[in-house]
Amino acid sequence: MRFDLAKYSVEIVEFLCAKTLEEIDYGILDLSHVRNHELKEVLIFLEELLTIELKVNYLKNDTGLFRVHVVGNKYCYNEFGYVLEADSLCELKELVLGEDRIWYVFDEISARELIEERRGLNAW
């Protein structure tokens, strides 16, 4: 199926957010309010992509932060090859949100452990 993504760019931007990812994560995303069939198909497609990416993050990402990895002393946000780097999580979060990208904590325990671990490294 082919989608005219430009036709729904506003709706797509609104859909690609942390709230949507959280609803996917908790299994409560509801698209029943979308009456336009073509738009609904686009959003379902994006939901499937985000679901797969979230599953990969659960399996291979030990930071607890969606699309975030630590490389050396840098925090990196990798969105399909587009990478943002920062010296701290706060700085990375600002960069990510400043570019209207998704910042989502999918595992608070892992995220807290990462912060504590990095604080311990910085103490040395």
Side-chain angles (χ1 to χ4, degrees):
M1 176 175 275
R2 294 178 61 146
F3 299 119
D4 183 2
L5 298 179
K7 182 176 178 182
Y8 301 110
S9 60
V10 171
E11 292 88 346
I12 290 169
V13 168
E14 289 173 358
F15 184 78
L16 295 176
C17 66
K19 181 181 180 291
T20 299
L21 200 57
E22 181 179 40
E23 290 176 358
I24 290 170
D25 197 11
Y26 288 102
I28 59 170
L29 181 66
D30 181 13
L31 298 175
S32 64
H33 66 283
V34 180
R35 297 291 175 227
N36 181 311
H37 180 70
E38 187 179 28
L39 173 58
K40 192 172 199 171
E41 289 295 318
V42 168
L43 297 181
I44 288 170
F45 174 74
L46 292 173
E47 175 192 4
E48 290 170 357
L49 289 176
L50 286 172
T51 299
I52 291 168
E53 189 177 3
L54 186 58
K55 285 179 181 180
V56 169
N57 272 258
Y58 270 108
L59 292 172
K60 297 185 177 189
N61 181 343
D62 60 357
T63 68
L65 303 164
F66 187 65
R67 298 179 175 158
V68 174
H69 300 280
V70 177
V71 179
N73 290 329
K74 296 280 188 187
Y75 295 93
C76 301
Y77 182 91
N78 187 341
E79 183 179 343
F80 303 112
Y82 179 79
V83 178
L84 296 171
E85 289 184 3
D87 293 323
S88 72
L89 278 176
C90 290
E91 181 184 343
L92 184 62
K93 183 178 180 179
E94 280 184 35
L95 289 171
V96 170
L97 294 176
E99 292 192 11
D100 291 326
R101 298 181 185 281
I102 299 172
W103 183 264
Y104 178 65
V105 179
F106 66 88
D107 183 347
E108 285 191 34
I109 294 170
S110 293
R112 270 193 234 119
E113 288 174 355
L114 171 69
I115 291 167
E116 291 303 316
E117 176 185 311
R118 301 301 285 187
R119 277 191 190 136
L121 289 175
N122 291 337
W124 296 102

